[in-house]
Amino acid sequence: MSRTELREIASKVLYQVYILERANVEYNIDDLIKEQYEIKNEFLDSIVKGTINNQDTITKLANKYLVDWDIDRLDKVSKAILSIGIYELMYTDTPEIVCINEAVELSKIYSDTQVTKMINATLDKIYHEEKEK
């Protein structure tokens, strides 16, 4: 399975996490991952768990660079896609252009054009303002 496909699975898992957290329902992250992808995959695990573990910082960065918007106002799928993009951009060795392009391509599937533009602009700003420092 390609990393692009694994990112899509990660966004589905994070979508579930955001729904469960909003409803104050306990969950086991490993079980949620396994429901989406039965084979243990280090990349998938690291993206999902890394995003969850760094969600507070990810949220702050997103809110700093979203224009007239807040990450929690995004639909849960778009929030997951943006969060993964920020996580990969800030915490992994994935090339910056790949982080941004993967998030944009995923958002083209699951979000509307305006949200895709917002995700692209936000990741680009984070790259130029935070990552290049």
Side-chain angles (χ1 to χ4, degrees), residues 109-126:
I109 298 168
Y110 292 102
S111 303
D112 66 30
T113 305
Q114 293 301 89
V115 174
T116 297
K117 289 178 183 177
M118 184 185 308
I119 288 172
N120 185 36
T122 303
L123 291 173
D124 187 62
K125 287 178 193 172
I126 290 171

Side-chain angles (χ1 to χ4, degrees), residues 5-132:
E5 293 167 314
L6 291 169
R7 284 181 185 93
E8 184 172 8
I9 292 169
S11 69
K12 291 176 183 179
V13 173
L14 288 170
Y15 168 81
Q16 289 179 300
V17 166
Y18 298 149
I19 296 292
L20 293 171
E21 286 178 348
R22 175 109 170 122
N24 291 320
V25 175
E26 288 188 32
Y27 61 88
N28 179 300
I29 193 61
D30 293 317
D31 290 343
L32 292 178
I33 292 170
K34 193 170 185 176
E35 285 175 18
Q36 294 294 323
Y37 194 69
E38 290 185 12
I39 301 167
K40 185 85 169 151
N41 184 283
E42 188 176 315
F43 179 76
L44 178 60
D45 284 355
S46 69
I47 294 295
V48 170
K49 292 175 182 176
T51 303
I52 291 168
N53 291 335
N54 294 287
Q55 190 66 61
D56 289 342
T57 303
I58 290 168
T59 297
K60 287 176 187 167
L61 275 172
N63 289 341
K64 181 177 178 180
Y65 293 102
L66 282 166
V67 178
D68 299 326
W69 208 255
D70 182 278
I71 192 169
D72 290 320
R73 287 184 56 206
L74 293 173
D75 65 271
K76 303 288 188 250
V77 174
S78 298
K79 178 182 177 179
I81 293 167
L82 179 57
S83 294
I84 290 168
I86 294 171
Y87 171 74
E88 280 200 272
L89 193 60
M90 299 304 294
Y91 297 100
T92 72
D93 292 333
T94 305
E96 290 82 4
I97 191 72
V98 173
C99 298
I100 295 169
N101 285 343
E102 289 285 330
V104 167
E105 291 304 314
L106 201 50
S107 72
K108 286 179 182 177
I109 298 168
Y110 292 102
S111 303
D112 66 30
T113 305
Q114 293 301 89
V115 174
T116 297
K117 289 178 183 177
M118 184 185 308
I119 288 172
N120 185 36
T122 303
L123 291 173
D124 187 62
K125 287 178 193 172
I126 290 171
Y127 167 62
H128 286 97
E129 299 293 324
E130 301 289 332
K131 188 74 175 170
E132 288 187 338

